[in-house]
């Protein structure tokens, strides 16, 4: 690999995002372990309860890192192509269906992995607009109306 190719590859990587993703994994393990191993009282009170509570922020941190990464990718190369994004979304929906059926559910429910897939698709669509900031603001307003006015 040439020096210029190595420099281009390293410019595409953001190790800070990997750190945030790693923290999200640690938070998730702490939260799940606390919920599984501690009594309900211990999981909600004291120092251990505080750790379990902090661990509940794992999805927020993961979504933040994913969104920043998608935004940085869009800034570098323009909005990503449809098929690589569609493959990711499809895999996330299939993983969600698989997990739902593994848990003994009679039918598939829209859950965590499908929500991530929907977020990836939404970010991709917003990146494709002529005015992505305005598109994001409109999406936020629509979600707020759906949640607090209609919901």
């Amino acid at each position: 690999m040439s020096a210029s190719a190595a420099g281009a590859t390293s410019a595409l990587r953001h190790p800070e995002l990997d750190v945030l993703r790693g923290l999200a994994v640690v938070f998730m393990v702490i939260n799940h372990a606390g919920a599984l191993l501690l009594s309900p009282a211990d999981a909600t009170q004291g120092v251990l309860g505080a750790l379990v509570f902090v661990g509940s922020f794992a999805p927020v941190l993961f979504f933040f890192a994913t969104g920043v990464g998608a935004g940085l990718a869009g800034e570098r190369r323009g909005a990503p192509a449809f098929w690589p994004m569609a493959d990711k979304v499809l895999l996330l929906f299939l993983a969600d269906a698989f997990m739902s059926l593994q848990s003994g559910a009679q039918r598939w429910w829209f859950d965590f992995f499908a929500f991530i897939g929907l977020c990836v698709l939404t970010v991709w669509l917003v990146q494709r607009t002529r005015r992505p900031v305005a598109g994001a603001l409109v999406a936020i307003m629509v979600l707020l109306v759906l949640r607090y006015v209609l919901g």
Side-chain angles (χ1 to χ4, degrees):
M1 180 185 293
S2 70
S4 62
T9 302
S10 65
L12 299 177
R13 297 267 321 144
H14 293 280
E16 302 86 357
L17 293 177
D18 293 336
V19 170
L20 288 177
R21 289 183 191 106
L23 279 174
V25 169
V26 170
F27 282 13
M28 181 185 67
V29 169
I30 289 171
N31 182 263
H32 282 87
L36 182 67
L37 301 173
L38 298 174
S39 70
D42 288 339
T44 57
Q45 298 172 0
V47 174
L48 292 176
L51 284 174
V52 172
F53 176 73
V54 168
S56 70
F57 285 93
V60 174
L61 190 56
F62 180 75
F63 283 134
F64 175 77
T66 301
V68 169
L72 290 172
E75 285 291 318
R76 278 194 309 266
R77 304 182 294 265
F82 175 76
W83 288 113
M85 179 277 311
D87 289 344
K88 290 176 189 174
V89 171
L90 179 62
L91 285 174
L92 287 163
F93 272 81
L94 289 174
D96 203 32
F98 178 74
M99 296 296 286
S100 179
L101 295 175
Q102 286 293 334
S103 67
Q106 297 297 324
R107 60 187 186 140
W108 172 68
W109 294 99
F110 190 85
D111 204 2
F112 186 71
F113 289 125
F115 180 73
I116 294 171
L118 182 62
C119 290
V120 167
L121 178 61
T122 302
V123 167
W124 183 83
L125 289 170
V126 168
Q127 286 178 324
R128 303 294 290 185
T129 63
R130 277 196 266 187
R131 298 176 139 179
V133 173
L137 291 173
V138 167
I140 290 169
M141 295 306 294
V142 167
L143 290 173
L144 287 172
V145 167
L146 286 173
R147 170 64 175 100
Y148 293 107
V149 176
L150 300 177

